[in-house]
Amino acid sequence: LPRKTKYVVSPYKLIVNDGNYYLLAFEDKSQKMKTYRIDRMKSVSLTGENRDGEEAFKAMDMDRYLNSSFSMFNGKPEYVRMRFINPLLDTVMERFGTKDVLYSKDDDTHFTISAKVYISDQFYGWIFGLGNYVTIVGPDSVKEGMKKALEKVTKRYE
């Protein structure tokens, strides 16, 4: 069903991600930076009010934000430890970068990382897409979230 919610936001940045255009803006109601799909916006208008959220925008580490978000869906930020097969190193580095991400050798065929991730269904979908080549090591709340996401999908096919 189409949502007909009115948002009052202060725009800050145009972002292109996975072939979609997003507006990064400070949302008045929540007093937080959020992303909005531009192609889903309807009846956009100027309010004439002063822009809010300048401090929040300046405080953002844009590279980290973009590397931690999955399809621009925000969720609760968590430091997640994941274990990958070595051939995925380039893929993982493209996704998470190297700033504030800890990479370590696990054994001769695997490496682990610890990275800040915004936990969302899209994050779990990315993990699922890598199949048996990745394991969420911790925290337990994120492992449980992955299990619940898989259960929801499994139930749709029963």
Side-chain angles (χ1 to χ4, degrees):
L1 295 171
R3 289 173 36 176
K4 294 183 180 183
T5 305
K6 181 180 178 179
Y7 298 93
V8 178
V9 302
S10 297
Y12 277 90
K13 188 165 186 73
L14 178 65
I15 299 169
V16 179
N17 184 277
D18 291 335
N20 294 306
Y21 289 87
Y22 297 88
L23 174 68
L24 176 65
F26 186 79
E27 200 240 343
D28 287 2
K29 185 176 179 180
S30 68
Q31 293 289 292
K32 293 181 181 178
M33 284 289 181
K34 294 186 175 185
T35 53
Y36 302 89
R37 283 265 307 258
I38 290 178
D39 63 317
R40 295 191 177 155
M41 293 180 181
K42 306 281 187 238
S43 303
V44 176
S45 63
L46 295 174
T47 64
E49 297 175 24
N50 290 333
R51 186 163 76 163
D52 292 327
E54 187 173 352
E55 298 83 23
F57 180 70
K58 285 180 179 177
M60 290 185 74
D61 181 337
M62 194 56 61
D63 289 337
R64 183 179 215 179
Y65 177 76
L66 294 173
N67 288 337
S68 300
S69 299
F70 285 79
S71 300
M72 300 314 299
F73 280 82
N74 289 331
K76 180 182 174 191
E78 292 267 1
Y79 279 93
V80 180
R81 187 167 162 83
M82 296 164 275
R83 182 176 189 257
F84 298 89
I85 61 168
N86 286 341
L88 287 179
L89 182 60
D90 288 341
T91 300
V92 173
M93 289 184 86
E94 284 176 19
R95 166 47 69 183
F96 297 102
T98 56
K99 186 176 181 184
D100 298 323
V101 179
L102 299 175
Y103 291 83
S104 60
K105 179 180 177 179
D106 191 58
D107 60 29
D108 287 340
T109 58
H110 296 86
F111 67 96
T112 60
I113 72 162
S114 180
K116 184 178 181 181
V117 174
Y118 291 94
I119 305 302
S120 66
D121 286 343
Q122 284 66 32
F123 165 69
Y124 293 130
W126 184 78
I127 293 291
F128 181 77
L130 295 175
N132 291 328
Y133 303 126
V134 60
T135 302
I136 297 172
V137 178
D140 288 341
S141 61
V142 178
K143 289 168 55 175
E144 287 302 314
M146 182 69 192
K147 288 178 188 178
K148 288 178 183 176
L150 292 170
E151 287 170 5
K152 285 193 305 190
V153 172
T154 300
K155 284 181 182 179
R156 294 189 65 91
Y157 293 95
E158 290 179 343

